[in-house]
Amino acid sequence: MIATQELIEKALQLSRADACIVIADETNCLNIRWANNELTSNGFSRSRQLTIISILNSAEGTSTGVVLASGVTCESLETLVRKAEGIARATVPAKDAQPLLTGRTSPNWDEPSPETSVEVLSRFVPAMGGALSRARCEGRLLFGYAEHASRSTYLASSTGLRLRHDQPAGRVEMNAKSCDHYASVWGGTVGTTVADIDVEELELYLTRRLGWARRRLKLPAGRYETLLLPSPVADLMLWLYSSAGARNAHDGGTVFSKYGDGTRIGERISPVSMSLRSDPATPGLQCNPFVVAYASGDTSSIFDNGLPLLSTNWISDGTLSALVQTRLSASLTGLPVTPRIDNLILEGPLGMGHALDEMIANTARGLLVSSLWYIREADPRTLLLTGLTRDGVFLIERGEIVGAVNNFRFNESPVDLLGRISEVGITERTLPREEVKFMGTAMPPLRISDFNMSSVSEAL
Amino acid sequence: MPSEIDPMFLALPLRELADAALGRACAAGAAHADFRCEWIKDAQLSLRDCALDGAHSSIASALGVRVVLDGAWGFASCTELTTDGAAQTAARAMEMAKITRPLCSERVELAAEPVHSNVTWISSYEMNPFDVPDSDKLALLDDWSRGIMAGKGVNHVYAKLQAVQENKFYADLAGTVTTQERVRIHPQFIAISIDAANGSFETMRTLAPPVSQGWEYLTRAEWDWDAELACLPELLAEKMRAPSVEAGTYDLVIDPSNLWLTIHESIGHATELDRVLGYEAAYAGTSFATFDKFGILKYGSPVVNVTADRIAEHGLATIGYDDEGVAAQCWDIIRDGVLFGYQLDRRTARLRGFARSNGCASGDSASCMAIQRMANISLKPAIGGPSTENLIAATKRGIYVVGDKSWSIDMQRYNFQFTGQRFYKIENGRLAGQLRDVAYQSTTTDFWGSAEAVGGPATYVLYGADRCGKSQPLQLAAVSHGSPSVLFRNIRVLNMSQEAER
């Protein structure tokens, strides 16, 4: 199979358009899934996908044609390039046209593609085998998923860009249930490779929590003082992030719109001096340091391909300070260009957070929520979300966990929640439960004094 | 209807690739091996306020090999469609089976299926959307968007069109060889009205569902686009003026344009046998409809009869043969309100003693292992049953629910909450204007148990979803749901604006 760099150069040479951008994504993914202490499926997938973006200038403006294809060979490459050019010729000018980024080269551009083999599972499988065996003996049921994914993204242009980013990532998530299914707890760990993940530590974490769930309590719907663990906080903040497009806010259709007057940037969202930010260089959360855009839309523009990504504060000191921009939306809103970055970090005031154990000890009566699920937008005007608690709702009384509680349906807006935080814990790397494609998150536990558990769910 | 599979797909060396992969698996002693090669064309166009917002088209092609070796599954895939690639992929599948064997205590066994040798199937469509020039598509979307934009009070219009052509080739060691093609299309328009004075906005979306049809869906009378587009601005304006609902308990008449999603979430997902067995417990969830309740569970009132099929014309889950070589079928899920059937694949069928799978295995591309996915799940209309107007007339105090919007349901498919595109107050058997901020919330068996009357065949429409998610790694599937209008008694209605308040 021809090397990716070579295929990209050939594509650029074949281009007859005024400009051309080529993006290649190589992905190797190994995964294992289990349920009821038994393997259910696995997979070792390899793929290479090419995106060709042809750009044509005319008196009317600049138009583009975008084609994505996998399994591209030298023989099929020219057809693909001509197809992209054909689309560009037949379509109307793009509204988001901007000058393309020019000549930067990543230091690792010429390196061979990283190799992955089943060997990456050689530590995980025996460790998992031990956990399943102990679960069978000790009367627990384990369900879960482990994945090792290695992704390399190459971005090249006829204007001289040769950018590359390699992103390896491993994760293990596990759900442990008692044999009668009434106790159910979840935890997830993420790392650079699945081989680095300590399965036994995760198993111990879950076994301890199953112990907490031996006493089962029923509570009615209502508003409760609630400690949200970092993982559910990540899921809620990712919803906020995905609704933080500047263009839609400016047009007047989102929670960040200020009707008749642009966006809510500059408005205080939280009384707490917290920050929500993204930074591609954050240790342990490194991600792509340049824009990669496969299509234009509300929060992305193919013309922004290659734009360097720098540390961006979405919320600073509790105040909304940036929304997700393209160069087009930045010019429409009169704000800086702050494109989306693939990590998200929420932090309270520096040096002031307590560890989770202390936060529990300081709770007179409240709930500890381990994860949230099936989160959907119920009202876009306030970003009201509805969803369920899942796999570990515990009651705290006088500073101690006294038992597991039924699940609830909640109705809450993450934007509104930020305005009602009464305590921010210590930020740590965490795996969101539902937003599986986005793993670069670091969140603190949060205390909310009046979280809306709208109705009881009998689901286990 | 086209008489032949896309010749560009047939030009791929499908048999040679299959032989290379299956030969390798057979030589290594695999008890079962199947080979899939798929080609998926996907084109999307979006307009924002009558200007092109984005467009892209993709062609994904991949091959995947699944084996059962020494009682354990192994799966691998690649995008390199060469005989070397196919053989190496088979080898990797067997490596995966070997390395994960220690995690199995049970052997994988599959329910038998007759051999279907060299069969072909094509979905029912007339004009392939990929044969329609982009300029024609853009012109139509632009024209229709302008019509909506000209409506009083409309501030923004979003238009989106997606077309997909899937080609599938399947071959297994038993001798089944299937070559199939299906086409689907999904146009949608959303109108937005902004109330700057009150810092608020409302939206109204077209109800036309994604369907397994071609371009004719937009150009012929398959769906009454003229009527739907003409009404949109006024419906939106009415919603902007509508009073906020008083939360409480109401009778609901639910139009199929909304009820299809409730069927999907509370019946479709709850009767997938792999969920019932716990395969999705850590992710998509389980089901309250446990196997011990099979044939016993009172799912709903006696007027509730639900079927599953992969044969309905224009159904999004409709196919000739599934991704394990099982022929498409039709069967009962709920009969006279009682749980009567599940959706199976070959492994789960065997695990629970069914003689045969009912053909629900599907992978969203050849890059993923085929797993059990939803068939078209539909609520039967009542022969000679009432019209929607009759159902409204039978309601003293209620709400008529039209169009789907947000949805959410819990991990066992009990507690759900749905909103909609528009809600009409019903007073003494008549519609009395729209309401805002409405959601209905219930528990599945309570909800279906309160179904009092099911509409007749004239109220039945096939709706559906094209992005149903399940499994890890995540796979998407498209599925249709037919439904009549239905009258439900005493359902909890929330005011979502009050839910957001403190």
Side-chain angles (χ1 to χ4, degrees):
Chain A
M1 199 170 79
I2 182 177
T4 299
Q5 297 90 331
E6 215 185 309
L7 194 64
I8 291 171
E9 295 301 340
K10 281 196 191 303
L12 289 173
Q13 282 154 24
L14 284 166
S15 167
R16 294 179 195 147
D18 295 311
C20 181
I21 298 170
V22 182
I23 306 170
D25 290 287
E26 293 170 339
T27 310
N28 281 309
C29 174
L30 289 101
N31 56 74
I32 296 178
R33 203 171 187 213
W34 59 95
N36 296 310
N37 297 335
E38 187 71 36
L39 177 82
T40 52
S41 65
N42 58 44
F44 185 172
S45 299
R46 296 169 70 127
S47 73
R48 179 166 70 188
Q49 175 180 279
L50 215 60
T51 304
I52 311 275
I53 303 172
S54 284
I55 296 165
L56 294 176
N57 299 319
S58 70
E60 284 82 36
T62 302
S63 59
T64 66
V66 183
V67 208
L68 287 82
S70 51
V72 182
T73 60
C74 287
E75 293 73 33
S76 60
L77 189 56
E78 180 159 10
T79 311
L80 201 65
V81 174
R82 300 293 163 247
K83 186 169 170 160
E85 288 164 2
I87 294 172
R89 251 194 307 281
T91 192
V92 299
K95 293 275 176 192
D96 59 330
Q98 296 277 340
L100 293 185
L101 277 293
T102 61
R104 270 165 38 242
T105 302
S106 294
N108 60 346
W109 175 260
D110 282 315
E111 282 174 21
S113 306
E115 269 301 320
T116 311
S117 75
V118 297
E119 287 313 304
V120 80
L121 298 172
S122 58
R123 273 187 70 195
F124 172 77
V125 170
M128 195 60 223
L132 293 180
S133 172
R134 282 186 290 279
R136 289 183 200 117
C137 292
E138 293 165 22
R140 288 187 287 284
L141 293 169
L142 296 181
F143 306 78
Y145 179 67
E147 178 185 278
H148 178 82
S150 160
R151 187 173 174 139
S152 296
T153 303
Y154 303 75
L155 171 63
S157 71
S158 54
T159 51
L161 290 174
R162 297 292 185 274
L163 299 175
R164 173 170 164 180
H165 178 73
D166 291 347
Q167 185 87 42
R171 82 175 198 263
V172 177
E173 27 183 305
M174 193 127 50
N175 166 228
K177 295 188 196 292
S178 57
C179 282
D180 62 4
H181 285 230
Y182 276 97
S184 186
V185 295
W186 180 89
T189 311
V190 59
T192 309
T193 160
V194 75
D196 286 345
I197 290 174
D198 191 335
V199 172
E200 281 177 28
E201 189 184 18
L202 183 56
E203 187 193 352
L204 279 167
Y205 172 88
L206 294 174
T207 308
R208 182 170 168 234
R209 275 151 183 272
L210 277 180
W212 289 357
R214 264 188 225 111
R215 186 170 165 225
R216 292 152 195 180
L217 305 150
K218 282 189 185 259
L219 287 179
R223 287 187 178 268
Y224 290 89
E225 176 164 317
T226 300
L227 297 184
L228 293 174
L229 286 195
S231 173
V233 174
D235 277 304
L236 293 173
M237 290 304 114
L238 287 172
W239 265 96
L240 184 154
Y241 193 33
S242 69
S243 309
R247 187 156 174 213
N248 281 348
H250 188 257
D251 279 354
T254 81
V255 66
F256 293 117
S257 300
K258 193 163 155 193
Y259 292 90
D261 196 19
T263 72
R264 289 169 70 184
I265 286 183
E267 192 181 305
R268 181 162 273 283
I269 300 280
S270 179
V272 173
S273 173
M274 34 79 60
S275 75
L276 185 69
R277 63 186 176 83
S278 302
D279 182 350
T282 305
L285 290 171
Q286 287 95 340
C287 62
N288 212 329
F290 51 88
V291 169
V292 178
Y294 302 92
S296 286
D298 155 53
T299 50
S300 71
S301 169
I302 50 172
F303 294 90
D304 290 345
N305 268 305
L307 203 56
L309 294 172
L310 306 169
S311 178
T312 304
N313 288 314
W314 311 107
I315 299 175
S316 307
D317 191 28
T319 299
L320 185 68
S321 46
L323 292 171
V324 177
Q325 301 271 13
T326 60
R327 282 184 290 172
L328 169 67
S329 65
S331 69
L332 291 172
T333 56
L335 293 163
V337 181
T338 48
R340 188 180 160 99
I341 297 170
D342 289 338
N343 64 25
L344 194 66
I345 300 137
L346 179 69
E347 282 173 321
L350 263 177
M352 289 181 62
H354 291 123
L356 179 67
D357 285 345
E358 252 185 283
M359 290 175 79
I360 293 171
N362 290 337
T363 304
R365 188 171 190 270
L367 300 178
L368 178 72
V369 169
S370 306
S371 66
L372 297 176
W373 186 249
Y374 225 123
I375 306 168
R376 295 290 182 275
E377 185 183 88
D379 187 348
R381 294 169 298 183
T382 52
L383 196 55
L384 183 72
L385 303 177
T386 186
L388 289 307
T389 61
R390 190 177 186 188
D391 296 326
V393 182
F394 300 100
L395 177 64
I396 307 167
E397 280 180 335
R398 288 184 292 277
E400 292 198 356
I401 304 275
V402 297
V405 174
N406 47 271
N407 283 306
F408 296 97
R409 168 172 296 287
F410 70 88
N411 285 324
E412 278 287 2
S413 159
V415 179
D416 199 60
L417 276 178
L418 289 181
R420 288 154 46 215
I421 300 173
S422 46
E423 185 182 353
V424 182
I426 298 173
T427 294
E428 63 184 50
R429 178 110 196 249
T430 188
L431 186 66
R433 180 109 187 241
E434 194 157 46
E435 227 354 282
V436 293
K437 284 190 186 155
F438 194 107
M439 296 198 295
T441 50
M443 301 280 149
L446 295 179
R447 183 189 303 277
I448 314 288
S449 61
D450 56 353
F451 197 84
N452 183 8
M453 300 297 190
S454 171
S455 55
V456 169
S457 160
E458 289 172 49
L460 301 171
Chain B
M1 185 169 142
S3 56
E4 59 166 28
I5 301 269
D6 189 325
M8 286 189 63
F9 181 65
L10 295 178
L12 295 170
L14 300 166
R15 296 276 180 150
E16 289 89 333
L17 297 174
D19 289 344
L22 294 177
R24 190 76 177 255
C26 187
H32 168 90
D34 59 59
F35 169 87
R36 283 163 51 228
C37 180
E38 298 197 9
W39 209 52
I40 301 168
K41 285 160 79 168
D42 186 330
Q44 296 182 38
L45 272 177
S46 56
L47 271 69
R48 182 196 185 96
D49 297 341
C50 310
L52 179 67
D53 199 34
H56 81 270
S57 92
S58 67
I59 310 162
S61 49
L63 63 89
V65 182
R66 190 177 68 157
V67 301
V68 178
L69 187 69
D70 190 23
W73 278 129
F75 177 78
S77 73
C78 76
T79 52
E80 196 194 328
L81 303 189
T82 61
T83 47
D84 279 350
Q88 283 160 22
T89 299
R92 276 195 293 274
M94 289 184 288
E95 278 184 328
M96 286 303 289
K98 283 186 199 132
I99 199 168
T100 59
R101 185 72 184 75
L103 305 181
C104 307
S105 61
E106 296 166 1
R107 296 181 73 81
V108 172
E109 288 171 347
L110 304 179
E113 174 68 13
V115 171
H116 307 289
S117 172
N118 207 18
V119 290
T120 297
W121 183 89
I122 306 174
S123 70
S124 176
Y125 71 92
E126 290 176 30
M127 291 195 278
N128 192 321
F130 291 90
D131 294 338
V132 176
D134 272 359
S135 50
D136 288 7
K137 291 176 183 152
L138 265 175
L140 182 142
L141 293 178
D142 181 65
D143 183 43
W144 291 6
S145 292
R146 285 182 194 283
I148 301 167
M149 198 77 181
K152 195 174 167 202
V154 175
N155 295 103
H156 297 290
V157 176
Y158 296 143
K160 276 203 285 197
L161 176 71
Q162 182 183 22
V164 175
Q165 175 185 316
E166 276 180 284
N167 284 92
K168 292 171 173 276
F169 176 84
Y170 171 92
D172 64 28
L173 283 181
T176 290
V177 178
T178 69
T179 312
Q180 307 186 79
E181 176 171 302
R182 52 182 188 173
V183 164
R184 66 174 194 264
I185 197 162
H186 189 185
Q188 48 182 319
F189 296 82
I190 302 173
I192 301 178
S193 187
I194 299 191
D195 180 352
N198 290 322
S200 178
F201 66 91
E202 284 290 355
T203 65
M204 191 67 66
R205 196 201 70 220
T206 47
L207 303 184
V211 286
S212 182
Q213 289 191 51
W215 184 245
E216 66 275 7
Y217 184 50
L218 288 98
T219 59
R220 310 242 180 99
E222 311 285 343
W223 181 267
D224 193 348
W225 285 103
D226 287 343
E228 168 142 67
L229 295 168
C231 291
L232 213 61
E234 179 46 37
L235 289 170
L236 177 58
E238 198 189 335
K239 189 174 183 185
M240 289 290 277
R241 299 189 293 265
S244 196
V245 71
E246 189 187 323
T249 303
Y250 290 81
D251 296 340
L252 298 183
V253 174
I254 307 184
D255 192 79
S257 57
N258 178 282
L259 194 57
W260 74 266
L261 186 51
T262 314
I263 291 167
H264 176 97
E265 296 295 345
S266 68
I267 300 177
H269 281 311
T271 54
E272 295 182 278
L273 187 59
D274 66 341
R275 278 181 206 249
V276 169
L277 297 179
Y279 284 22
E280 291 285 332
Y283 184 65
T286 57
S287 170
F288 67 91
T290 49
F291 202 72
D292 56 314
K293 300 188 177 111
F294 182 35
I296 304 168
L297 174 68
K298 201 158 172 290
Y299 215 107
S301 73
V303 304
V304 176
N305 290 280
V306 175
T307 57
D309 76 84
R310 296 196 76 184
I311 61 175
E313 195 185 21
H314 305 315
L316 292 167
T318 296
I319 197 117
Y321 304 84
D322 81 355
D323 287 348
E324 289 182 308
V326 177
Q329 298 159 50
C330 177
W331 65 102
D332 288 340
I333 293 285
I334 299 174
R335 204 184 265 187
D336 301 323
V338 178
L339 176 64
F340 201 84
Y342 290 102
Q343 302 161 64
L344 313 173
D345 60 20
R346 292 175 71 178
R347 185 180 184 192
T348 54
R350 179 72 186 249
L351 275 173
R352 279 297 177 267
F354 292 96
R356 190 185 175 208
S357 159
N358 47 34
C360 296
S362 182
D364 74 356
S365 71
S367 295
C368 290
M369 184 157 150
I371 54 166
Q372 185 269 310
R373 295 312 307 262
M374 208 185 288
N376 301 314
I377 304 290
S378 299
L379 179 65
K380 278 177 155 174
I383 308 295
S387 64
T388 305
E389 291 70 30
N390 293 152
L391 293 173
I392 291 170
T395 307
K396 268 195 81 166
R397 177 179 171 278
I399 300 177
Y400 174 46
V401 182
V402 180
D404 66 278
K405 201 169 180 192
S406 84
W407 69 99
S408 179
I409 191 164
D410 71 30
M411 297 68 71
Q412 276 188 287
R413 306 277 144 188
Y414 281 126
N415 173 319
F416 62 67
Q417 185 174 286
F418 291 92
T419 63
Q421 287 300 315
R422 46 190 181 270
F423 300 85
Y424 294 89
K425 195 167 181 185
I426 304 175
E427 275 172 347
N428 298 313
R430 307 171 94 93
L431 296 186
Q434 285 196 43
L435 294 166
R436 291 172 92 164
D437 307 323
V438 183
Y440 64 94
Q441 188 273 313
S442 188
T443 300
T444 294
T445 44
D446 290 344
F447 179 77
W448 290 106
S450 69
E452 182 177 285
V454 163
T459 71
Y460 183 91
V461 182
L462 195 70
Y463 285 91
D466 51 10
R467 294 180 66 83
C468 175
K470 183 177 175 182
S471 190
Q472 293 173 298
L474 183 67
Q475 296 196 44
L476 298 180
V479 58
S480 293
H481 303 283
S483 178
S485 294
V486 180
L487 167 61
F488 296 86
R489 297 287 188 197
N490 300 319
I491 305 296
R492 182 180 180 215
V493 166
L494 303 174
N495 179 310
M496 293 312 282
S497 169
Q498 282 164 9
E499 287 291 314
E501 284 166 14
R502 275 161 279 138

